[in-house]
Amino acid sequence: MLRLTYSQLALLFIGFFAGISILWCPASYSYEYIRFLFCLFLLSLIIYLCKKKIRNFLDFEPIFISIFFLMTYVYPLWVFDDDTAFLFSFGRYYNVNAINKSVALSTIAIISFFVGNLIKMNPTPPWKNRIMYVKNNTLLILALCLYIAYYFFGGFDFFATVYKGEESNTSAIANYLLVLIQVVFPTLIFNEFWNKRNDVCYTYNYAVFLLVLIVSIHFALVGSRTNASILLLSAIVAYSILIKRQSIVKLFFFLILGILLMWILQSFRAGYNVETELPFFYILSDLFIPNTNTYLAVDIVESEGITWGLSSSASILSIIPFLQGFVEKLFGLTDEDINSAYLLTEYLGSSAGMGTNFVADLYLSFGMFGVVIFPYLFGAVLSYLKASIYDSYFKALIYIIISGFSMYIVRSSLFFLLKFVLFSFVVSKIFSRFKYNNTSYVSIHRNSSI
């Protein structure tokens, strides 16, 4: 039976208080109400950090929570006014009175995540055949072939064209090649650090790092900042977990540098010069635009009701290649029906894609139930994976794959991760060659703490 700690009980009380506060939620935008919710978030964060005792800050949870804070609270507290109300909805009007409830839902979601993530999991018992070493050569060849194939199928040209404001289409093959790239390259990097942790005499294969760096830069140059960040972030987190943990100062430096680089790349891909005299909040536009989706989701649910999971089904269907297109034709569905990003864009009436976000997608599909349960389960799954991260190769790999999306998943659907988790497991099973602890490789457990 699961026993809740005092910290979890305190968090549940705060979350419950945030939930019932919706009953007296002001009918129009209220700075005081949002500040009250922000205080609840800060109190829950302090309780979480005191209990969690994080010692490595370049990790999924610190990065995820930091991005969640920036996306959820900065705009309604320090940016929103009559002049900026529709600045991050591309000038399209929406119901600003939904902001109060939206912030409340986001506060409930992050507190649920805290509660789930504080669950204490028992580590995996030592295996007789624990994976100690992974031969990376076959996977390296596969990665190189994927890069070349993606280039010739027009994957990079698609991003370069789209971000110039021109219409472009990409093939289904290129789309699935991209998924494989997002899985194979982080796995390559992870294998190198896994080998080094288990054998200090292991010599890095620097061709792996060079290829990952080249492909990341290629994505950045064509404007695909998300894909570049996924590859680089998975490498950074793998290094900080398996080799050397990083301080909170490194986290702040990483976030500031990452946000500035994202803003600079956004300006260049849109054909603008980088304006240094703009207000600070323009730098965070990549977070404020998807944050608007929570306001839209609240407005949709209050007028039309939840979609009972339909608007999140695209991420689930995409696990099996071509299944999404088949289901759409079979049941006469559209992209707007099964994908919250398309639904929200259509609802706003914007010619530019609005995307979706972590909370908006869950609330559209499952209402309050989704906002409470799924972040809790997500936090618990991360805790389960982390409990055995030094002893179970596949749990550690899945955790690193998820960590590559720690900046992006806040601006996306939680279910978006499913296909990457499955594909990483399948790819590593097929293309990796393992050596176990009954060989000459000796496991060296360093005294490092997550």
Side-chain angles (χ1 to χ4, degrees):
M1 182 177 178
L2 180 62
R3 290 185 177 181
L4 297 176
T5 64
Y6 290 118
S7 298
Q8 289 172 306
L9 288 173
L11 288 171
L12 284 173
F13 176 78
I14 296 171
F16 176 76
F17 196 48
I20 63 172
S21 76
I22 294 177
L23 297 177
W24 65 78
C25 177
S28 59
Y29 168 83
S30 171
Y31 175 83
E32 291 74 18
Y33 179 69
I34 295 172
R35 184 177 59 186
F36 159 74
L37 293 170
F38 178 61
C39 291
L40 293 183
F41 163 74
L42 287 181
L43 179 59
S44 63
L45 178 62
I46 291 170
I47 295 172
Y48 170 79
L49 291 177
C50 289
K51 180 64 177 178
K52 193 72 176 176
K53 297 179 181 177
I54 297 173
R55 301 181 69 184
N56 172 38
F57 284 87
L58 278 183
D59 202 348
F60 179 91
E61 290 90 344
I63 296 172
F64 173 80
I65 294 167
S66 299
I67 299 299
F68 194 97
F69 153 71
L70 292 172
M71 193 182 84
T72 301
Y73 298 102
V74 174
Y75 175 74
L77 280 177
W78 296 292
V79 179
F80 178 84
D81 58 28
D82 292 339
D83 295 326
T84 62
F86 307 105
L87 185 61
F88 300 104
S89 60
F90 304 106
R92 307 292 299 185
Y93 290 94
Y94 62 89
N95 181 14
V96 296
N97 296 327
I99 294 178
N100 295 328
K101 186 174 180 179
S102 300
V103 178
L105 291 172
S106 297
T107 303
I108 294 167
I110 194 63
I111 293 174
S112 294
F113 174 82
F114 289 159
V115 174
N117 198 237
L118 286 180
I119 294 177
K120 189 70 175 178
M121 299 290 182
N122 294 322
T124 302
W127 294 358
K128 292 182 179 180
N129 292 318
R130 192 177 77 87
I131 294 171
M132 304 299 299
Y133 174 83
V134 187
K135 292 184 178 180
N136 230 3
N137 293 335
T138 304
L139 206 59
L140 177 60
I141 295 171
L142 174 63
L144 181 60
C145 291
L146 286 172
Y147 175 45
I148 295 171
Y150 188 68
Y151 176 84
F152 282 107
F153 274 98
F156 292 103
D157 290 336
F158 167 75
F159 286 114
T161 303
V162 166
Y163 293 132
K164 289 179 181 177
E166 303 172 8
E167 290 191 11
S168 181
N169 293 316
T170 183
S171 66
I173 294 177
N175 288 333
Y176 280 101
L177 285 174
L178 178 59
V179 174
L180 289 173
I181 287 174
Q182 293 166 328
V183 165
V184 170
F185 280 77
T187 303
L188 263 178
I189 289 285
F190 167 74
N191 287 346
E192 291 297 310
F193 291 133
W194 178 267
N195 291 346
K196 188 67 173 179
R197 179 175 179 84
N198 287 292
D199 180 11
V200 292
C201 297
Y202 177 77
T203 302
Y204 286 125
N205 183 349
Y206 289 100
V208 168
F209 299 100
L210 180 61
L211 180 60
V212 171
L213 182 61
I214 289 172
V215 176
S216 301
I217 293 173
H218 197 163
F219 273 121
L221 290 176
V222 297
S224 181
R225 300 162 301 158
T226 297
N227 288 304
S229 69
I230 289 170
L231 302 191
L232 293 175
L233 192 52
S234 58
I236 292 170
V237 175
Y239 174 81
S240 67
I241 289 178
L242 296 175
I243 305 299
K244 184 179 180 180
R245 63 176 182 246
Q246 304 296 314
S247 68
I248 192 171
V249 175
K250 297 284 183 64
L251 171 65
F252 288 139
F253 176 78
F254 168 79
L255 289 174
I256 293 170
L257 180 62
I259 290 171
L260 286 174
L261 286 175
M262 291 291 187
W263 175 58
I264 292 170
L265 288 171
Q266 181 189 38
S267 299
F268 278 121
R269 81 179 187 185
Y272 305 136
N273 294 323
V274 177
E275 297 286 346
T276 57
E277 297 181 359
L278 288 174
F280 82 94
F281 51 76
Y282 278 90
I283 298 175
L284 296 172
S285 61
D286 256 8
L287 297 176
F288 294 162
I289 292 171
N291 184 49
T292 305
N293 291 315
T294 316
Y295 314 152
L296 301 178
V298 168
D299 205 31
I300 292 172
V301 171
E302 290 188 348
S303 60
E304 303 176 17
I306 64 175
T307 66
W308 299 101
L310 185 61
S311 57
S312 297
S313 59
S315 297
I316 300 171
L317 293 172
S318 64
I319 294 175
I320 301 176
F322 311 110
L323 179 60
Q324 179 179 331
F326 173 76
V327 170
E328 285 183 357
K329 291 179 180 178
L330 181 64
F331 295 100
L333 300 172
T334 64
D335 288 339
E336 290 77 13
D337 294 323
I338 65 173
N339 191 320
S340 62
Y342 286 99
L343 189 159
L344 293 163
T345 299
E346 182 187 44
Y347 183 78
L348 185 65
S350 172
S351 58
M354 288 296 296
T356 187
N357 71 52
F358 187 89
V359 176
D361 183 73
L362 292 173
Y363 189 64
L364 266 176
S365 285
F366 307 105
M368 182 64 77
F369 175 86
V371 170
V372 173
I373 297 300
F374 286 104
Y376 168 82
L377 293 176
F378 183 47
V381 167
L382 290 173
S383 180
Y384 168 74
L385 295 173
K386 250 183 165 179
S388 304
I389 205 164
Y390 298 130
D391 297 304
S392 172
Y393 170 86
F394 289 106
K395 290 180 184 177
L397 171 61
I398 291 171
Y399 183 83
I400 295 303
I401 293 293
I402 293 174
S403 295
F405 293 87
S406 54
M407 291 187 71
Y408 177 73
I409 196 60
V410 183
R411 305 182 293 122
S412 182
S413 167
L414 174 61
F415 305 107
F416 180 72
L417 291 171
L418 293 176
K419 62 184 173 185
F420 299 99
V421 169
L422 177 62
F423 284 19
S424 65
F425 181 81
V426 172
V427 166
S428 60
K429 274 286 190 179
I430 295 175
F431 293 98
S432 295
R433 298 293 178 267
F434 304 119
K435 286 192 176 182
Y436 299 91
N437 63 354
N438 54 359
T439 67
S440 60
Y441 292 95
V442 179
S443 174
I444 300 177
H445 291 275
R446 300 171 186 169
N447 294 322
S448 60
S449 174
I450 296 175

